[in-house]
Amino acid sequence: MAVLVTGGTGYIGSHTVVELLNEGKDVIIVDNLSNSKEMVLLRIAEITKGEIAEDRLSFYEADILDYESLEKIFSENSIDSVIHFAGLKAVGESVAKPVEYYMNNITGTLVLLEVMKEFNVKKIVFSSSATVYGLHNVSPLTEELPLSTTNPYGSTKMMIEQILQDVYVSDNEWSIALLRYFNPIGAHKSGRIGEDPTGTPNNLMPYITQVAVGKREMLNVFGADYNTEDGTGVRDYIHVVDLAKGHLKALQYIDNKNIIEAINLGTGNGISVLGMISNFEKATGIKIQYQLVERRPGDIATCFADATKALKLLDWKAKYNIEDMCRDSWNWQQNNPDGYQ
Ligand code: NAD
Ligand code: UFG
């Protein structure tokens, strides 16, 4: 029996595929390569070489909105469960292109669920986000808090969570994990897979590593007047390999159960932007030029997880510290200054 991984050549998907293969699972990836490169597959094979027979991983270049392609994948393989990463994820872009975001993320999920139902596959782990906690909840954020969003991207996550709740109510043979990620950074220790943003990075860590490698002159620190220890925004950064392992634990948890659970995947620790800069400098010995600028619209002061539910239900907690995250992000950037190009 295999795990179908949608969006499996992407940043978090590729790290999760490595962990699944290392655990002895058969894996099928479906990805339309809209935000990833086929080269990722070679890198995954390289990392897992020696331990993994080639026939344990297959790849379909297909769009999850394409019903017939998904039917073909399900009919050609013996699929037991799905980890659903495929989606568009840029907050700013979602404000400019809402229809594209709703179409891709919502319709894509609906088509996937239709085909899963047709093939009687009822186990799914979904990539949600801490963005569903909105602007007003106070950290540490627990899973029962009321949800709200401020942009179309976040709304797609909240709506898909609702759709999955409704699916479960309609047929409680389903088993569903809604994983709310905090801020994934870092890369596999080999430095062969990592985050490869297109154009100017929106997120803090890829921006820092591009300054470090000389691709950008200086980091803009968005806001130094927040009500935080040093005035800059505080987030819960989590190593992508820890996050990947959380998916394996979630798969195990939903196996042989009929449940739906929303679970935070974060460390439970908040780090400020200036704190991140100094951790990066300490871990790598490289000085990061930065300037303090205006707040970025839509940002909140502080966002970190209450991570106790994941420990209790999944027996999972993050193992890597901030130094590991900085070192591994830098190792990836240094070895791949132009990403997968
Ligand atoms: P990513 O863009 O690297 O990976 C997503 C993958 O999905 C890409 O390879 C892309 O080509 C593919 N894809 C998109 N639409 C598709 C479609 N219609 N059909 C087939 N493939 C499609 O993103 P990521 O950082 O790995 O994020 C994975 C998931 O986690 C996303 O759903 C994202 O919203 C969610 N998430 C990410 C973060 C983060 O900070 N990276 C935080 C919270 C949640
Ligand atoms: N920041 C800077 N300069 C930059 C980039 C970011 O100062 O160039 C600051 C931000 O203002 C924020 C912190 O660094 O205080 C982290 O910003 P990111 O953009 O890395 O992450 P966010 O928390 O804003 O957003 C991330 C994901 C979203 C997701 C959100 C909530 O990118 O998709 O977490 O989980 F919705």
Side-chain angles (χ1 to χ4, degrees), residues 20 31-32 42 47-48 54 63 67 125-126 131 135 146 153 161 201 217 234-235 237 241 244 268 281 297 317 322 333:
L20 286 166
D31 200 301
N32 64 0
L42 295 176
I47 291 170
T48 53
E54 253 175 45
D63 197 306
Y67 200 103
V125 175
F126 171 62
T131 196
L135 292 178
Y153 165 72
E161 286 204 10
E217 210 178 310
V234 167
R235 296 291 183 276
Y237 298 93
V241 172
E281 290 177 339
K317 79 175 197 201
I322 196 66
Q333 177 76 72

Side-chain angles (χ1 to χ4, degrees), residues 255-318:
D255 201 32
N256 301 319
K257 269 189 213 74
N258 303 115
I259 44 109
I260 180 162
E261 290 286 354
I263 303 171
N264 288 337
L265 293 184
T267 63
N269 303 316
I271 295 184
S272 71
V273 179
L274 295 181
M276 182 60 96
I277 295 170
S278 77
N279 274 292
F280 187 86
E281 290 177 339
K282 204 163 78 194
T284 64
I286 298 167
K287 192 108 192 90
I288 298 299
Q289 296 299 328
Y290 68 87
Q291 60 183 351
L292 305 178
V293 300
E294 289 294 291
R295 291 182 180 195
R296 182 171 65 177
D299 274 359
I300 53 174
T302 301
C303 172
F304 61 90
D306 179 321
T308 51
K309 188 172 178 185
L311 181 60
K312 197 165 140 217
L313 296 190
L314 308 183
D315 187 28
W316 172 93
K317 79 175 197 201

